[in-house]
Amino acid sequence: MANQDFGLAGALKVRPAEEGDATHLHTFCFPEKTKTQVTKELQADLESDGQTYRLVAESSGYPIGQISVSKDANDPEIAQVGNLAVSGPFRQLGVADHLIKAAGTTAAENGAKTLEIELPSSEANVIQRYKDWGFVEKPLVILQKALDAEEQEEEAAEVEEPEDTGGDEDQAVETGGEQQELLNA
């Protein structure tokens, strides 16, 4: 049988999520999570008093994709997008494009002027996709300190004071020279 074009077309609708969407979101978007997890996360977004908006892409009455838009707690002109998920068979049909556009509209309607998303640098393909949607990288430095390392640092800092040998008082003890040079630079 030769390839045939049947001209099938379906409608896609992006709308605010509803409590009843949890079952289908679990089935189509988050099968790795339990239905209870998906339900609780959706309920938390719906009960967030306008801090988080969850949008779903619906086809033939079934939610087949979703995205969340959250207000930045420190800056009302910034909204974070997250949890973008589209069911496998619909990924090549531009569903994510429609969800991103709807997220931008929802954010703007609620006072945001900028959309943000934080991604690990290892997600090169995902980062590129967001760049395709008009997102740009911000220069950002994230510094971390393991809290259990603090004890080790304190123990290392507790070295005995050198004995006074009655030697030259002009002799300076050099400590942290390399770090001090960095701070003075």
Side-chain angles (χ1 to χ4, degrees):
M1 180 168 165
N3 287 337
Q4 294 180 359
D5 184 3
F6 292 100
L8 297 175
L12 181 72
K13 175 178 162 182
V14 178
R15 61 170 175 76
E18 300 168 354
E19 215 172 305
D21 293 331
T23 299
H24 296 299
L25 288 173
H26 169 254
T27 302
F28 298 118
C29 298
F30 302 108
E32 73 282 358
K33 294 182 178 182
T34 65
K35 184 178 172 189
T36 302
Q37 285 174 310
V38 174
T39 301
K40 284 182 180 181
E41 290 170 3
L42 178 60
Q43 284 174 339
D45 286 352
L46 294 175
E47 295 169 0
S48 72
D49 293 326
Q51 295 304 306
T52 299
Y53 300 91
R54 177 94 63 112
L55 305 172
V56 297
E58 179 182 283
S59 179
S60 301
Y62 295 97
I64 49 90
Q66 68 119 61
I67 192 168
S68 63
V69 181
S70 300
K71 291 182 178 180
D72 186 293
N74 299 318
D75 188 342
E77 293 187 349
I78 296 177
Q80 281 91 25
V81 293
N83 298 318
L84 175 59
V86 177
S87 180
F90 297 91
R91 290 183 186 152
Q92 300 302 315
L93 302 176
V95 174
D97 298 335
H98 293 288
L99 285 166
I100 287 289
K101 184 176 180 180
T105 301
T106 298
E109 288 171 351
N110 289 283
K113 297 185 187 296
T114 305
L115 282 181
E116 285 185 343
I117 184 165
E118 291 183 22
L119 298 165
S121 59
S122 61
E123 295 285 343
N125 291 340
V126 176
I127 291 170
Q128 184 55 53
R129 191 67 180 117
Y130 276 93
K131 285 180 177 181
D132 293 345
W133 286 319
F135 287 73
V136 295
E137 287 186 57
K138 280 179 27 178
L140 177 65
V141 175
I142 297 175
L143 303 171
Q144 289 184 332
K145 177 180 178 180
L147 296 178
D148 62 344
E150 192 171 308
E151 282 182 25
Q152 294 171 1
E153 288 176 13
E154 288 174 6
E155 289 172 8
E158 293 176 5
V159 282
E160 291 184 31
E161 293 291 320
E163 289 182 29
D164 186 8
T165 59
D168 198 0
E169 289 183 20
D170 292 332
Q171 188 178 19
V173 176
E174 187 177 323
T175 58
E178 195 173 295
Q179 288 181 4
Q180 191 61 42
E181 286 177 44
L182 289 172
L183 293 173
N184 290 337

